[in-house]
Amino acid sequence: MKLKDLSPAARLAAETQAIRGEWEYSAFDQLLKDLIAYDTVMDARVAFRKKWMIVAIILAFVGLFVGILVIDNGDGEAGAAILVGGIVHMITTIVLWRKAKKQALPENALAMLQQLFRQVRQDLDTKATIRVNVDLSGPTKAKCGPKQVLPPNGFNSREQWVYADPWCQLRFQLRDGYKLTLRQVDQLIELRRTRRTSRGKYKTKTKYKKLCRLTATILPPAPVQWAGQPKVDPTWERLRVAKKKGLDVAVLDRWFLYKEKFERPKQNPSGADAVGMLYRLCSMRPAEAK
Amino acid sequence: MTCQWQTGLLVPQPCEMPAMGGCSLCGRSLCMMHTVSGPNGPACPTCANSNQGYEQNEETELESSRSSYYTQYGGANYFTNRDRQSVEREEVEGYDEFET
Ligand SMILES: [Zn+2]
Ligand SMILES: [Zn+2]
């Protein structure tokens, strides 16, 4: 599915890399389906352009030698054309690859939203809408904090960049009047360590860590006495019960950690992870609400 | 007779559509929408999910996630007794195993 084939809503979301506003379940599900189809095409394009770029880089190198050889043999114009042509072609492919990469969407985030609402679809209040504020642009430069210089710890230097990406906010109402919210904040940490090898060369390695924090909240339609506490994993989760505007709210946080050695982690909590949190918050409702 | 299937996950609610038949495995009455066909005759989504050879649809998939949430998180006092019996089946993996 290409950009021009998308529905106006999906096109807007793909172009702005954001989903906002109030949505009916079926329209939201259709939007996610369209965006996932669009992203599949974009991912294929990124893969294709990457291959093309690699070929172009090799050709540019070959062109460099061939061009110099031709110039040496007296044909300066043809040699320069081969040389410059190879480099221009290489730059073009790099630009196109990066452009496609920017257009691709985070498929795991879209899949999470799709699975989440497909599972709770029958529980939604049909008279209410889903309030959505989703940013699909990922850890861009604007979300990166200042460079942190860490104690070297045996390395020559350790530098760290932290991206904060509060990309997901959802709010919807259940058939029994309870409101649920879900928020996700991602923290991407890039740690660059430089070490001097025994031969005196400097070697730099970057490690990537992604810490996702999912926060689910249940808001009752009127003050309640919670029925009890659900199962909570002490390592990765925290449950808080508080009062907000006179209402008893329960908040469940869950952290997810992903590590990668060579690139930014693409993983994301699944929709089932999110539903598992909502499910437990819902089990706190007093009996008459069930 | 009305359909005895419970719809939903967070707010379970009886379907209450007119029943057209029953589950040949557990006997509860079912409407057309909640009847799944398979080798042992018409079945409810729970039985279709736990028996081989039944077609999978949205309801059986929902039933499968419902039972996994139940086994993972205990379900508190959240299900009716009949539903509790129907979902107490094979254990699913611990929910934090993907962390490691
Ligand atoms: Zn049955
Ligand atoms: Zn039914």
Side-chain angles (χ1 to χ4, degrees), chain B residues 1-18:
Chain B
M1 278 293 260
T2 58
C3 176
Q4 290 174 331
W5 180 246
Q6 298 261 333
T7 64
L9 173 70
L10 303 176
V11 194
Q13 181 168 286
C15 165
E16 285 180 337
M17 292 294 282

Side-chain angles (χ1 to χ4, degrees), chain A residues 191-258:
Chain A
L191 175 64
R192 193 183 293 169
R193 301 184 302 193
T194 306
R195 185 202 290 279
R196 205 172 156 174
T197 63
S198 51
R199 288 180 179 174
K201 273 189 185 172
Y202 286 98
K203 267 195 166 175
T204 300
K205 262 191 187 169
T206 310
K207 287 211 308 188
Y208 302 86
K209 225 196 256 183
K210 182 176 159 185
L211 184 66
C212 305
R213 177 184 183 171
L214 261 183
T215 306
T217 311
I218 185 165
L219 297 127
V224 289
Q225 196 70 48
W226 296 116
Q229 292 224 335
K231 238 190 212 175
V232 172
D233 178 336
T235 315
W236 294 99
E237 297 181 330
R238 193 178 65 190
L239 178 74
R240 286 168 292 158
V241 181
K243 264 205 195 298
K244 200 173 159 188
K245 292 178 189 165
L247 284 180
D248 305 275
V249 301
V251 185
L252 181 59
D253 277 302
R254 181 174 169 83
W255 283 265
F256 301 77
L257 182 62
Y258 307 102

Side-chain angles (χ1 to χ4, degrees), chain A residues 162-179:
Chain A
V162 180
Y163 298 75
D165 189 8
W167 66 272
C168 177
Q169 270 179 302
L170 304 164
R171 188 187 169 101
F172 49 93
Q173 186 165 337
L174 299 180
R175 275 195 315 214
D176 59 5
Y178 280 75
K179 285 194 183 87

